[in-house]
Each structure stands twice: as structure tokens, then as C-alpha cells.
Amino acid sequence: MRKYLLALLILLTLSITFAQELVFQQPVLITSAGQSAGVTMMKVLATRAKLQFNFDALAKPEALTGNFKSLIIVVGASSKGLGAAGIDIEQEIQRVTELLNKAKEIGLKVIVAHIEGQSRRGKTSDQLSELVIPFADLVIVTKAGNEDNFFTNLCEKQQKKLIVVETTSAVQSILEQYFKAGE
């Protein structure tokens, strides 16, 4: 019984320590990796979660010179979205790489999200996910977008914390949990 209580105490201490490490601060910059509609959905979810954020789907590294403390990058490639933004995938990869390198350099915590499900998966989206997940402190995906365990396997390989949600709307409660909403 004593060993059980000791083990439980150690586990609880580790859980609290791990949870404390995954607190994200505000204000937040929300941007895209692939220019899909998922980034707009994230903007709505962040608003509902009462986060302090700026939204810039085409954010460049110089955008991080403000007082941002966290970065949310929403992955999902859309040829229509890229075309509307006037860029191609190579330019998007370069922008995202430079942005994430700057975030790492200045010590921002990064959340990577893929919230549009299977419809926004494909070779280009997966390529972008492989690019951004190594920079992530937390990865959030919908169950429908991870049916093949792509994100599970990638996060295990990269040793990243992964949260799989049933629906896109469930992301709001994850944001509220990891950010002290409204502070």
C-alpha cells in the first residue's frame, strides 16, 4: 500500500510538472501553413475562448517582433487559398520555415493545429505538417484528420504532445485549458 501511494504521489508530481510546462501565454499570433480555411476556423475558436490574439494568415518573421508570447500555426494546404494569396507552395514553405525559425530564436511556444479533418490531408498538407511539427510544443488534430495515425506517428517520432479531438469545435476547450483565457 505504501509503495502504491508513493508511486501515485510521484505520478501526480510529474503530471503537475508536465502540465505546468505546457501553459501558453498571451498575446498570440495565429497564422496558416498552407492557406486553407482552417486558419479562419481557428480565429473563431480563439475568439470564443477569449484569447488575446492577432490574426495574419500570411505572417512573416517580422510580425513576431511585437509582444507575442505564443504562436498558433494551422496546417492545411489549399491550392485555391494559395492562389488567392498570390503565392505558390514553395513560397509558403519558405515563409513558414522563416517564421518558425524566428519563433524558435525568440523563445515563443508554438501550437500546431490540423482541424479540418481528412478533406484537408494530402501530400502537400502532410509535407507542411512534417515541416512544422518539429517546432511544436503542442499539436492539436481532429480525429477525422488522424484516421491513418499520421499525426500520432509523427508526434511520437518527434516526441511532441498530441491532443486528438472529436470535433473542430472541441478545440475551443483545449485553447481555454492551455491558455489562461482572458489573462
Side-chain angles (χ1 to χ4, degrees), residues 140-156:
I140 306 168
V141 301
T142 58
K143 184 177 179 182
N146 193 38
E147 288 178 344
D148 61 355
N149 287 318
F150 172 78
F151 289 100
T152 300
N153 295 332
L154 187 56
C155 288
E156 283 177 5

Side-chain angles (χ1 to χ4, degrees), residues 84-105:
I87 58 175
D88 61 27
I89 191 60
E90 289 79 21
Q91 291 169 310
E92 180 73 338
I93 289 170
Q94 181 177 350
R95 179 189 71 82
V96 169
T97 300
E98 291 172 358
L99 181 71
L100 288 167
N101 281 328
K102 178 71 174 184
K104 182 178 179 181
E105 175 188 318

Side-chain angles (χ1 to χ4, degrees), residues 1-50:
M1 182 70 168
R2 204 170 195 168
K3 286 182 183 180
Y4 173 76
L5 289 174
L6 181 60
L8 187 60
L9 180 62
I10 291 170
L11 184 60
L12 182 62
T13 303
L14 289 174
S15 297
I16 291 169
T17 302
F18 186 64
Q20 288 174 341
E21 291 175 12
L22 285 176
V23 172
F24 292 83
Q25 295 181 334
Q26 301 176 62
V28 183
L29 176 63
I30 299 173
T31 193
S32 177
Q35 300 306 311
S36 71
V39 73
T40 303
M41 287 189 259
M42 182 60 77
K43 178 181 176 184
V44 170
L45 295 165
T47 300
R48 289 180 182 165
K50 297 181 173 67

Side-chain angles (χ1 to χ4, degrees), residues 149-167:
N149 287 318
F150 172 78
F151 289 100
T152 300
N153 295 332
L154 187 56
C155 288
E156 283 177 5
K157 180 180 176 186
Q158 295 290 327
Q159 299 180 340
K160 301 298 177 180
K161 175 150 178 69
L162 172 66
I163 297 176
V164 180
V165 294
E166 287 292 324
T167 63

Side-chain angles (χ1 to χ4, degrees), residues 48-66:
R48 289 180 182 165
K50 297 181 173 67
L51 298 187
Q52 300 167 20
F53 69 91
N54 282 13
F55 174 82
D56 183 352
L58 291 166
K60 296 189 176 182
E62 48 272 14
L64 298 177
T65 57

